[in-house]
Amino acid sequence: MSADTPVYLVDDDAAILDSLSFLMEGYGVTLTGFQRGAEFLRQVDLSQPGCVILDSRMPQLTGQQLHQKLNDAHSPLAVIFLTGHGDVPMAVEAFKNGAFDFFQKPVQGKALYEAIERGVSHSLKLHHDLQQLALLNELTEREQQVFRLVINGHTNKQMADTLFVSVRTIEVHRSNVMKKLNASNMAGLLKFSSLLAGQEQ
């Protein structure tokens, strides 16, 4: 697990913040604690990767409401619920909304550490994928058409015939696509195809 990737804990109980911080220090994990969801939202960059452990029942913003705000912001943060009031329907709902894991208090340190480790890895991959998708979204409509034809194996001549433009125009668009996607060859373009497919599902 990357030491640079932040791990947050949002729980209104100061004793829980202290005990879990101490527990995770034994595994080399530094927790940044918040007692209020609003405080967390003000201070944390939601666009960056990391892991956040959420209590469920909290004043003002519940864990579920905070999770929804993360979803609304398309945050790559991995969400782990840790609650003293959990039940099966709550866990099912959390997973349905994209939670990475769900625990009831008290939690075993090793189990929580392993969940954090997996959550951080998941978050780093998701953050990378979101960055790649952002590059795709910067393509013009015509460049996106050319990109789709390229990854489907069309030649410049075939693309020119399909789009009713000259081969030279296709060459210009293709060059722009390569530059915007930081791709030096066909393999560099193909790595975007699975992301595009996932976005369209």
Side-chain angles (χ1 to χ4, degrees):
M1 186 169 72
S2 172
D4 297 330
T5 310
V7 181
Y8 307 103
L9 171 62
V10 187
D11 196 306
D12 62 313
D13 188 335
I16 293 292
L17 291 177
D18 289 342
S19 63
L20 277 180
S21 294
F22 179 76
L23 180 64
M24 287 298 99
E25 277 179 11
Y27 292 89
V29 176
T30 300
L31 295 181
T32 301
F34 300 91
Q35 285 188 268
R36 293 289 184 272
E39 179 188 3
F40 168 82
L41 291 173
R42 279 195 304 270
Q43 296 187 34
V44 172
D45 184 350
L46 303 184
S47 69
Q48 294 302 306
C51 183
V52 56
I53 303 164
L54 298 179
D55 185 21
S56 177
R57 291 186 184 177
M58 294 186 290
Q60 298 170 1
L61 270 179
T62 67
Q64 286 81 0
Q65 289 170 330
L66 183 52
H67 187 196
Q68 186 58 53
K69 287 186 178 295
L70 295 178
N71 285 342
D72 292 344
H74 303 291
S75 175
L77 284 168
V79 173
I80 296 174
F81 273 94
L82 177 60
T83 177
H85 308 281
D87 53 28
V88 172
M90 184 186 291
V92 169
E93 187 67 19
F95 285 123
K96 188 188 300 183
N97 289 330
F100 189 78
D101 216 328
F102 190 99
F103 293 97
Q104 285 190 285
K105 299 171 183 174
V107 65
Q108 290 187 336
K110 187 172 187 292
L112 182 59
Y113 167 73
E114 289 174 349
I116 291 171
E117 194 173 37
R118 293 193 307 272
V120 166
S121 296
H122 171 78
S123 178
L124 288 169
K125 182 182 183 305
L126 180 57
H127 180 251
H128 176 265
D129 288 351
L130 289 171
Q131 287 182 313
Q132 301 294 83
L133 282 172
L135 291 179
L136 276 177
N137 291 333
E138 288 178 7
L139 299 180
T140 66
E141 185 177 350
R142 179 64 86 188
E143 287 167 352
Q144 290 194 18
Q145 290 173 330
V146 170
F147 167 75
R148 290 169 189 272
L149 291 172
V150 168
I151 62 175
N152 284 317
H154 289 66
T155 65
N156 286 356
K157 177 68 167 61
Q158 288 172 326
M159 288 189 281
D161 292 343
T162 299
L163 299 177
F164 305 104
V165 296
S166 69
V167 171
R168 177 59 187 150
T169 297
I170 291 295
E171 290 171 349
V172 170
H173 285 312
R174 187 167 183 161
S175 175
N176 288 339
V177 168
M178 301 285 280
K179 287 176 184 175
K180 288 185 178 181
L181 299 184
N182 299 319
S184 58
N185 52 36
M186 185 63 177
L189 289 181
L190 285 174
K191 70 182 181 181
F192 287 89
S193 60
S194 60
L195 290 174
L196 194 64
Q199 188 183 40
E200 292 173 344
Q201 284 178 355

